[in-house]
């Protein structure tokens, strides 16, 4: 694809591509549904097991049996997440790539340029990286959840805690896991959009972009606010707090880039 050049002789600063709220919401909904089903299953199963083993719950044998059954339940849910991870991650990456391409095409069309993006070798590498990262994150949800649940159940059983205590602790763990699922969806939406948009800029032969702060967060990073409007090399990133980064790269960062089509001077 030939590099774009402004016909006016002046730099053209294009609009930036914001993450798609619909894709983010759908991804969040899918993850939270999986987490809710897992948590409900665990709470129901443990309540039944806990009641069945009282008053012997503080004895070694019942605790060992409870732990064995909990591990079996953990393996079952880990397999469910593992089995669904690739399809969900692939859907997310495909939707994000399609949206990023379409948004960039529209922005360019509004500026008087007609382009069509193809899946270049570099774009394919980035696409696979997004899929791989999200597969890992999805699989990590039950891993972290059951590690904490096992500790909660064993402590409750060994100390003779009642079912009410156990239920409250499991509810706390569910809330934490649910928040993590939401964070994954938000953060990965930012990252994937940034990654695909950056690749499109490179494929267009563009070399510079302006950093645009999102102004959306309640507690914005001061360094990102200060970077607003500053120009950086697309191949290198913006130097912020001692490292070169890209908009949307840091966790919860919703900043975007505004690529620059350079002017042509005789």
């Amino acid at each position: 694809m030939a590099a774009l050049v402004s016909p006016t002789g002046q730099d053209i600063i294009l609009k930036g591509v914001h993450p798609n709220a619909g894709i983010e919401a759908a991804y969040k909904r899918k993850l939270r549904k999986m987490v809710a089903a897992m948590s409900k299953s665990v709470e129901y199963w443990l309540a039944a097991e806990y009641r069945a083993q009282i008053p012997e719950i503080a004895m070694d044998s019942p605790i060992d049996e409870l732990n064995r059954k909990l591990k079996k339940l953990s393996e079952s849910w880990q397999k469910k997440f593992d089995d669904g991870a690739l399809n969900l991650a692939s859907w997310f990456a495909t939707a994000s790539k399609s949206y990023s391409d379409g948004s960039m095409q529209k922005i360019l069309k509004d500026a008087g340029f007609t382009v069509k993006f193809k899946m270049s070798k570099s774009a394919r590498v980035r696409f696979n990286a997004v899929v791989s990262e999200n597969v890992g994150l999805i699989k990590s949800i039950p891993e972290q959840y059951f590690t904490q649940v096992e500790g909660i159940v064993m402590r409750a059983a060994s100390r003779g805690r009642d079912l009410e205590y156990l239920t409250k602790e499991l509810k706390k763990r569910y809330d934490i896991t649910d928040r993590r699922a939401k964070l994954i969806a938000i953060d990965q939406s930012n990252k994937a959009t940034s990654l695909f948009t950056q690749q499109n800029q490179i494929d267009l032969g563009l070399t510079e972009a302006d950093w645009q702060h999102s102004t959306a967060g309640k507690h914005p990073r001061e360094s990102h606010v200060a970077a607003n409007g500053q120009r950086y090399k697309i191949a290198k990133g913006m130097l912020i707090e001692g490292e070169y980064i890209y908009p949307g790269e840091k966790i919860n960062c919703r900043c975007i880039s505004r690529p620059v089509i350079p002017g042509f001077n005789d």
Side-chain angles (χ1 to χ4, degrees):
M1 186 180 294
L4 299 181
V5 178
S6 169
T8 66
Q10 301 294 321
D11 288 353
I12 298 176
I13 303 175
L14 299 173
K15 294 179 180 178
V17 178
H18 292 270
N20 183 278
I23 295 173
E24 178 188 301
Y27 192 23
K28 187 186 304 180
R29 185 169 58 252
K30 292 173 188 291
L31 286 176
R32 295 184 70 194
K33 184 178 180 180
M34 293 169 71
V35 168
M38 176 177 66
S39 177
K40 184 177 180 180
S41 169
V42 170
E43 289 183 21
Y44 178 83
W45 177 85
L46 281 175
E49 287 293 323
Y50 211 75
R51 289 192 183 98
Q53 295 194 26
I54 291 176
E56 293 108 353
I57 195 69
M59 298 171 60
D60 289 341
S61 180
I63 291 178
D64 290 343
E65 180 65 10
L66 190 64
N67 189 38
R68 185 187 68 79
K69 292 181 178 180
L70 179 58
K71 286 185 179 298
K72 186 175 181 179
L73 185 62
S74 171
E75 291 170 358
S76 174
W77 275 104
Q78 185 66 61
K79 186 177 186 305
K80 289 180 181 180
F81 273 74
D82 289 353
D83 290 345
L86 182 57
N87 284 339
L88 181 53
S90 296
W91 164 83
F92 169 71
T94 301
S96 298
K97 179 71 168 66
S98 178
Y99 163 74
S100 297
D101 290 356
S103 297
M104 194 67 184
Q105 286 174 339
K106 184 180 185 308
I107 289 170
L108 287 165
K109 184 177 181 180
D110 291 343
F113 300 90
T114 300
V115 301
K116 186 175 182 179
F117 294 109
K118 296 181 179 180
M119 185 69 87
S120 64
K121 184 177 180 180
S122 296
R124 173 60 64 182
V125 169
R126 294 192 181 213
F127 179 87
N128 290 338
V130 170
V131 172
S132 179
E133 181 172 1
N134 280 269
V135 165
L137 288 168
I138 293 168
K139 289 183 176 182
S140 74
I141 291 174
E143 289 175 359
Q144 292 191 13
Y145 173 77
F146 275 99
T147 295
Q148 297 301 318
V149 167
E150 182 178 345
I152 291 170
V153 173
M154 292 304 105
R155 287 193 297 273
S158 63
R159 297 172 186 176
R161 298 295 180 88
D162 59 20
L163 182 58
E164 182 180 1
Y165 166 83
L166 181 61
T167 301
K168 287 181 179 179
E169 290 301 306
L170 289 178
K171 179 64 170 60
K172 291 178 184 177
R173 175 46 48 186
Y174 163 69
D175 290 342
I176 292 172
T177 307
D178 182 60
R179 287 197 298 271
R180 181 164 182 261
K182 290 188 284 187
L183 178 59
I184 287 173
I186 294 170
D187 187 56
Q188 287 301 306
S189 181
N190 297 337
K191 284 181 168 60
T193 303
S194 175
L195 199 64
F196 293 141
T197 300
Q198 181 194 352
Q199 183 61 53
N200 284 339
Q201 294 168 357
I202 293 172
D203 288 345
L204 289 169
L206 303 178
T207 60
E208 294 184 322
D210 289 354
W211 186 289
Q212 181 178 328
H213 183 255
S214 68
T215 71
K218 295 181 180 179
H219 305 288
R221 294 177 171 90
E222 293 183 5
S223 57
H224 289 209
V225 175
N228 187 57
Q230 293 187 31
R231 191 156 297 182
Y232 65 92
K233 297 293 183 182
I234 294 173
K236 196 172 186 178
M238 173 76 78
L239 181 61
I240 295 181
E241 296 182 357
E243 62 177 334
Y244 287 95
I245 62 172
Y246 294 96
E249 181 178 347
K250 290 296 184 180
I251 190 166
N252 265 338
C253 174
R254 288 183 175 271
C255 296
I256 61 173
S257 62
R258 299 188 63 186
V260 179
I261 297 179
F264 178 74
N265 296 309
D266 294 330

